[in-house]
Amino acid sequence: MSTATGPYRVSMVCLGNICRSPIAEVVLRGMVEAEGLDVVVTSAGTGPWHVGDPVDPGSAAVLAEHGLDASQHVAQQMTARRVEEFDLLVAMDRANRDDLLDMVGDRPHPQVVLLRDFDPDGEADQSVPDPYGGGPGGFSTVYRQVEAACAGLVAQLPALMDRRAAG
């Protein structure tokens, strides 16, 4: 269970945890490490279909193009029991955000947000499109959107961490 002490815990969440959320996990992890923030970043899917699977080849390829590695990724599922482990759940789209809100229920934590709400050039309430089953262009689009939004999220993480510490 997440507490006001220890690292701030973030999970990036999509449907199957093989395309969008692994990209977001790797990108955000690199950014928080570069900033020296005490943040643990993971990812998960709301559905069970790919539990135990590696990252999608398209996600692996686009990450490799940017010098990033997701070869250790193993897909996992977010559940109502697991949400308590996190301070922030970051959904890739509105449907997954709604599923996460249902899992959180009336608990005061964790906070549930859409990733693209942190994109300084994006519009609020936008989704990261699912590239599953599509060509490489979809994965490139996801990477660009994730990178922009993660930069915005990293800029806001110190304030989110301070709020948690304040209780």
Side-chain angles (χ1 to χ4, degrees):
M1 179 176 221
S2 182
T3 65
T5 60
Y8 191 81
R9 298 186 49 85
V10 178
S11 187
M12 312 303 272
V13 183
C14 68
L15 188 60
N17 193 219
I18 60 168
C19 294
R20 296 171 290 174
S21 58
I23 291 173
E25 174 187 0
V26 171
V27 169
L28 183 62
R29 182 179 296 128
M31 290 180 178
V32 299
E33 287 174 359
E35 292 295 319
L37 298 173
D38 190 17
V39 177
V40 172
V41 181
T42 65
S43 65
T46 56
W49 309 281
H50 297 288
V51 170
D53 289 350
V55 68
D56 184 277
S59 293
V62 77
L63 287 166
E65 288 173 19
H66 295 277
L68 301 170
D69 178 35
S71 62
Q72 301 303 307
H73 177 78
V74 177
Q76 56 186 324
Q77 184 180 9
M78 183 61 65
T79 63
R81 184 173 298 201
R82 288 196 60 222
V83 296
E84 295 178 358
E85 300 171 15
F86 300 95
D87 298 294
L88 184 66
L89 298 173
V90 183
M92 299 299 114
D93 61 45
R94 290 181 295 278
N96 286 298
R97 178 195 57 197
D98 293 347
D99 288 344
L100 290 169
L101 288 169
D102 287 345
M103 288 180 208
V104 171
D106 60 0
R107 294 175 232 178
H109 298 299
Q111 183 177 0
V112 177
V113 296
L114 274 174
L115 177 60
R116 295 222 38 220
D117 285 349
F118 295 97
D119 183 344
D121 296 323
E123 295 178 28
D125 206 36
Q126 285 185 319
S127 294
V128 175
D130 191 347
Y132 185 72
F139 290 94
S140 294
T141 296
V142 167
Y143 184 88
R144 284 191 309 275
Q145 290 176 352
V146 163
E147 184 178 46
C150 282
L153 173 55
V154 167
Q156 292 188 33
L157 273 172
L160 292 169
M161 294 165 72
D162 287 346
R163 261 188 252 143
R164 180 191 75 170

